[in-house]
Amino acid sequence: MNVHEFQAKQLLAQHGVAVPAGEMCDNPESARTAAEKLIASGHSRVVVKSQIHAGGRGKGVFKSGLQGGVKVCSNPEEVFVNARAMLGQTLVTKQTGPEGRVVNKLLIEAASSIKKEFYLAVLLDRAVSRPIVMASTEGGMDIEEVAARTPEKIVKESIDPAVGMMPYQARKLAAALGLKGELIAAGAKLTLGVYRTWWELDATLVEINPLCLVEAGGKESLIALDGKIGFDDNALYRHKDIQAMRDLNEEAPLEIEASNYQLNYIKLDGNIACLVNGAGLAMATMDIIQHFGGSPANFLDVGGGASEEQVAAAFKIIMQDPNVKGILVNIFGGIMDCNVIATGIVAAVRETGLNLPLVVRLEGNNVVAGQKTLAESGLTLITGDSMADAARKVVKAVTA
Amino acid sequence: MGILVKPDTKVLIQGITGSFGARHAQLSIDYGTQVVAGVTPGKGGQVFEHHGHRVPIFDTVAEAKKQTGATASAVFVPPAFAADAILEGVDAGLDLVVAITEGIPVNDMVKVKRAMEGARTRLIGPNCPGIVTPGAGKDSQGGCRIGIAPGYIHKQGHIGVVSRSGTLTYEAVWQLTCRGVGQSTCVGIGGDPVNGTSHLDVIKMFNDDPETHGIIMIGEIGGSAEEEAADWIRQHCRKPVAGFIAGATAPPGRRMGHAGAIISGGKGTAAAKIAAFKAAGIGVATTPSEMAETLLKMM
C-alpha cells in the first residue's frame, strides 16, 4: 500500500524527521487560508503540490493544458488560483501513464531556500535479508539513473536487525554526503528517524528525494522536502492508523473489488483476460498468451485453493473490463476438485451471460469429471489440453 | 534418495488443529508420510485421528521432538504467529522447518533470518507449497510430503525440481510424470522476498545428490536469487539444468501476487534472469508448457 506525500511527511515528522510546515487541502478556499497562515508565520513563498500516488509531478502536465503539478507562489491569491486550476483536473506524469490521475488533494507548504539537495532511502536488501540505508549527493535526480551512471555517488549502510541502525552508521552517511560541523549530528538524527519510520511502520520503502540543506535566517538545517513511503501489505493488520490512510481514488476500481474477494487482480492493457490459480502460474499464463501473439488484459490469481464462489467473483470482475475480447481460464487443481471449479465456471458464465470466446484448461484432481461438467453444460466454450494449446486457441479466437 | 527429506523422515505439524493444517496433515498421512506429532499450544494430550492413525498433540515443539523423535516440521499457523512458530522449531533443534504460511510480514522474516544465523535448522519458505520426496507406491505413495502439494502428481525418479511458485511447480512435476519421468525431490522455496532457502541452496544439494540426474529450476521476477544460482551453475554444476522464468509480461512496480514478485528500480526483470540462465548453459523453456521437454532434450 502507498500513501500520499502529505501522509508520508506526517509519519516522518512523528519519527523526528524535519519536514516543511504545511497542510493538506481539498478546496481552493482552504488552500488560500493555509497559505495565509504560512505567510503570517514568516514564510515568504508557498508551494502548491498535487497529491497523487505517482512521481514526476513537477514536470507533469494537466489534461487542461496547465503545465506542472507543483507551483511556487508568492501570495495567497496565487495559491487560490493555482489550487482552483489543479483540483479535479487530471495530471499526467511519466509515472501515471497517458490516462493520468485526478488531483483531489493538494499539499500547501512553506517554500524553502535550498542550498543543496541529497537523496536518502531505506529499503530491504533482498540479497542479505537485511535493511539497507542508501544516501547520495545526487539529490532530486532519478536514483536509478545515478546507480547506472555514477554508482560511486551512492553510499550504503547495511543494518543488523538485531540492534537496528546505530548512530555511527548514520554519522558515516552524513559525513559521506559532505556535511560538516553541527550538520553531521543533524543529518544523523534525521537519518535515524527515517530508518525508524521504515522499521516501526513495516514499510517496504521510505524515500526522501530530495533531502535538502536549507537556509533560514542565516542558519542552515536539513529538511525532507519530499517523502515517499510504501507499506508491506502483510503487516497492515498491526497498523490500523496506516490502513486508514488508504486512498481508494488512487486504486483501479476493479482492483478494489477484487481485493474484497481476496483475489489478486492487476489490470493490464491487453484484451485477453486470464483467470488462474497461483501467482507463478498466473504470471506464466500472461507470458504464454504474449508468446503466441496475444496480449493479456490482467493478472488474476484466484489462490492456490480457490473456491467456487471466488471463481464466480473473478469472472464478474474480468468481464467488467471493456477491453476484454476473450477469456482464458487456466487451473491446475492440485488438491481442489476440478469438478468444483468447472461447476463454478458454468454457474458464472450462465449468470453473467458471457458472450465472448472462453477457453478453459483444467488439469489435476478429478479432471475427467470437471471436463464432463463443462462438455455437458451446453455452453460454447473451448477446451485446451495444455497451457500452450489453450493459449493458442484463445489468441486465435480473439484475433479471428 | 532425494534431498532434505526421505520416506522415513519423522514429521510434526505446527498448527495441526487448524482447518488448513488438519486437512494437509490428513493428506500427508494418506500419502504415507510419517506424521508423528502435532503441536498446538494448550491442546497437549489430545490426539489427532485419521483413518486409524493416532497422532499425539503436544503443547510445545520441544516436547513433541523429545517424545517422538521428529526431525522436521510443517508450519501452518496464521501469519501473525508464524515467525514465533518457526523460531520455536529452530529452538527445539529440528533439522528442517517448512513454513507454508502465506502473508508473514517481511520484517518478521528479517528478524527470523537474523535469529537463525548459526543455527543447525534449515528453513524452507515461507509462503511455499513445501517439499515432496516421492515414494515407490501407487501415485508415488510412501514418500515424504511436507506441505500442501498434491502427492499423486509425483513419481519416484531422478529429476530435482526447485521453484518459488506452487502451481507452477505442480505444472512442471506433472509434465515430467506424464512423460514417465520421476522426481528425486521437489522443493518449493516460496514467493516471499525473505525466505529461508534460496534456489542456489537447493541446486547445491541436488548437485551433491547421487539420485538426482537433472534439475528443473523455476524462477520469477523480483530479486536476484535466480541470477546467483545461474552464476554458480555456470561454474560448478555437473548436471543438466532447465529453467523457466515467469513474469516476462509483468509491469514494473507492481507486485504480481507473490510479495517477492516485483520489478523495482529496474532490477529483477525476467529478461535479466533469462539472460543469466542462457549464459550459464541452462536450457530455457520458452513457454511454461515446455519445462519438462526442455530438460529431457538435454539429458
Side-chain angles (χ1 to χ4, degrees):
Chain A
M1 190 190 114
N2 294 315
V3 295
H4 288 293
E5 176 196 1
F6 76 92
Q7 295 164 322
K9 283 178 168 169
Q10 284 167 8
L11 295 168
L12 286 162
Q14 285 166 16
H15 290 83
V17 177
V19 299
E23 63 183 280
M24 189 277 285
C25 300
D26 59 7
N27 65 73
E29 289 75 22
S30 66
R32 176 163 53 200
T33 309
E36 281 165 355
K37 273 193 261 172
L38 288 169
I39 286 173
S41 65
H43 299 284
S44 57
R45 288 170 309 143
V46 174
V47 197
V48 179
K49 302 183 86 174
S50 301
Q51 299 294 291
I52 55 171
H53 288 186
R57 294 167 295 165
K59 289 179 182 150
V61 179
F62 285 90
K63 285 189 173 170
S64 62
L66 180 69
Q67 299 280 322
V70 177
K71 295 277 187 189
V72 181
C73 305
S74 46
N75 61 65
E77 202 50 38
E78 202 182 341
V79 168
F80 175 81
V81 169
N82 275 297
R84 196 173 53 187
M86 290 180 186
L87 284 166
Q89 298 299 317
T90 303
L91 179 61
V92 179
T93 80
K94 61 177 182 177
Q95 287 184 13
T96 60
E99 68 275 18
R101 294 275 176 84
V102 176
V103 175
N104 293 310
K105 297 181 175 76
L106 300 169
L107 175 58
I108 308 299
E109 196 174 74
S112 306
S113 170
I114 300 165
K115 294 190 74 178
K116 202 161 174 11
E117 296 185 319
F118 307 104
Y119 174 92
L120 180 65
V122 186
L123 63 160
L124 174 72
D125 182 355
R126 288 175 63 162
V128 293
S129 302
R130 288 180 176 216
I132 189 164
V133 184
M134 295 179 15
S136 173
T137 51
E138 306 302 288
M141 310 263 292
D142 183 348
I143 197 66
E144 290 167 32
E145 251 172 61
V146 178
R149 286 188 193 168
T150 50
E152 72 281 0
K153 289 187 174 168
I154 298 177
V155 286
K156 298 173 180 173
E157 281 292 321
S158 184
I159 310 302
D160 181 344
V163 291
M165 188 176 200
M166 298 304 287
Y168 79 85
Q169 294 183 296
R171 292 194 301 271
K172 271 170 76 183
L173 289 176
L177 293 179
L179 296 173
K180 305 279 181 208
E182 287 176 7
L183 288 172
I184 296 259
K189 177 175 176 283
L190 186 143
T191 304
L192 288 165
V194 172
Y195 176 77
R196 282 195 299 113
T197 307
W198 187 89
W199 179 258
E200 290 171 13
L201 302 184
D202 286 297
T204 52
L205 171 74
V206 178
E207 187 179 60
I208 313 295
N209 191 21
L211 162 67
C212 289
L213 178 63
V214 297
E215 187 174 2
K219 195 174 180 309
E220 288 182 330
S221 63
L222 290 161
I223 195 163
L225 206 70
D226 199 356
K228 179 180 170 184
I229 308 183
F231 295 96
D232 176 4
D233 292 346
N234 289 345
L236 285 175
Y237 74 88
R238 56 191 179 202
H239 301 288
K240 301 282 185 247
D241 50 335
I242 292 165
Q243 281 181 43
M245 290 181 170
R246 184 174 174 191
D247 184 347
L248 295 178
N249 290 318
E250 294 290 331
E251 298 176 29
L254 289 180
E255 292 180 13
I256 298 167
E257 195 178 332
S259 69
N260 293 337
Y261 289 99
Q262 323 292 319
L263 298 168
N264 246 310
Y265 171 89
I266 294 170
K267 193 182 170 324
L268 302 170
D269 300 330
N271 59 9
I272 298 175
C274 4
L275 190 164
V276 190
N277 67 327
L281 194 61
M283 274 186 272
T285 303
M286 288 162 38
D287 296 347
I288 201 168
I289 288 172
Q290 176 160 289
H291 178 81
F292 287 114
S295 176
N298 62 273
F299 168 91
L300 174 55
D301 169 16
V302 296
S307 66
E308 198 179 329
E309 294 74 32
Q310 278 181 308
V311 171
F315 252 98
K316 286 175 201 157
I317 286 162
I318 54 183
M319 298 265 304
Q320 288 176 52
D321 176 354
N323 297 331
V324 169
K325 298 283 180 281
I327 299 171
L328 172 56
V329 175
N330 183 16
I331 301 284
F332 196 105
I335 301 297
M336 64 181 171
D337 188 329
C338 284
N339 197 29
V340 172
I341 297 301
T343 309
I345 292 169
V346 170
V349 170
R350 290 224 170 95
E351 197 187 330
T352 54
L354 177 76
N355 55 2
L356 296 170
L358 168 65
V359 179
V360 181
R361 183 266 179 150
L362 276 183
E363 190 61 83
N365 187 16
N366 206 14
V367 67
V368 177
Q371 280 160 347
K372 192 157 168 268
T373 298
L374 293 178
E376 290 173 355
S377 67
L379 299 172
T380 52
L381 49 81
I382 307 163
T383 53
D385 299 332
S386 67
M387 275 178 89
D389 183 48
R392 255 191 235 108
K393 282 175 174 165
V394 74
V395 170
K396 189 169 168 232
V398 164
T399 47
Chain B
M1 107 192 29
I3 62 169
L4 293 164
V5 291
K6 299 185 180 354
D8 62 356
T9 299
K10 289 182 176 172
V11 180
L12 69 85
I13 294 179
Q14 291 174 258
I16 196 167
T17 53
S19 60
F20 191 39
R23 168 94 172 111
H24 287 284
Q26 290 169 353
L27 289 168
S28 285
I29 291 167
D30 292 343
Y31 192 63
T33 301
Q34 304 300 308
V35 178
V36 297
V39 175
T40 298
K43 296 196 176 170
Q46 297 184 15
V47 175
F48 180 85
E49 294 197 58
H50 177 64
H51 288 178
H53 290 265
R54 292 174 56 80
V55 180
I57 298 175
F58 299 88
D59 288 319
T60 66
V61 175
E63 187 65 16
K65 182 187 177 229
K66 191 175 156 198
Q67 298 293 333
T68 66
T71 57
S73 152
V75 174
F76 282 96
V77 307
F81 314 105
D84 182 48
I86 292 167
L87 290 178
E88 186 181 355
V90 174
D91 174 70
L94 296 174
D95 294 335
L96 183 69
V97 173
V98 182
I100 306 303
T101 308
E102 177 177 1
I104 304 176
V106 173
N107 282 358
D108 286 9
M109 285 310 304
V110 167
K111 284 194 258 187
V112 165
K113 281 276 274 198
R114 178 66 177 88
M116 283 185 71
E117 279 177 20
R120 66 188 301 272
T121 308
R122 172 169 292 285
L123 171 67
I124 304 277
N127 188 14
C128 78
I131 310 179
V132 176
T133 290
K138 180 179 178 284
D139 294 335
S140 79
Q141 286 189 0
C144 182
R145 169 191 184 269
I146 301 182
I148 59 174
Y152 69 92
I153 63 170
H154 297 82
K155 174 183 163 67
Q156 196 175 60
H158 302 286
I159 304 301
V161 179
V162 55
S163 168
R164 279 207 250 171
S165 145
T167 41
L168 209 46
T169 310
Y170 312 157
E171 187 76 38
V173 169
W174 189 237
Q175 286 173 20
L176 289 166
T177 299
C178 286
R179 285 163 178 78
V181 179
Q183 305 89 40
S184 51
T185 300
C186 303
V187 186
I189 58 173
D192 277 3
V194 175
N195 57 11
T197 294
S198 67
H199 280 102
L200 176 55
D201 296 330
V202 179
I203 294 283
K204 284 178 178 171
M205 287 184 259
F206 281 142
N207 195 44
D208 290 339
D209 173 35
E211 292 293 323
T212 299
H213 302 166
I215 301 165
I216 292 181
M217 170 164 67
I218 304 166
E220 60 193 36
I221 54 163
S224 57
E226 289 86 352
E227 287 91 325
E228 283 160 26
D231 193 49
W232 187 89
I233 287 167
R234 184 174 56 80
Q235 298 181 56
H236 305 288
C237 192
R238 302 182 304 274
K239 296 174 183 177
V241 183
F244 176 74
I245 299 290
T249 45
R254 300 298 308 266
R255 257 164 232 283
M256 307 304 283
H258 286 156
I262 181 167
I263 299 167
S264 58
K267 294 215 178 87
T269 64
K273 290 171 191 291
I274 290 168
F277 274 18
K278 286 185 173 162
I282 297 169
V284 177
T286 46
T287 76
S289 270
E290 294 155 53
M291 292 185 285
E293 209 55 52
T294 304
L295 178 68
L296 297 180
K297 275 184 197 155
M298 297 170 73
M299 294 186 66

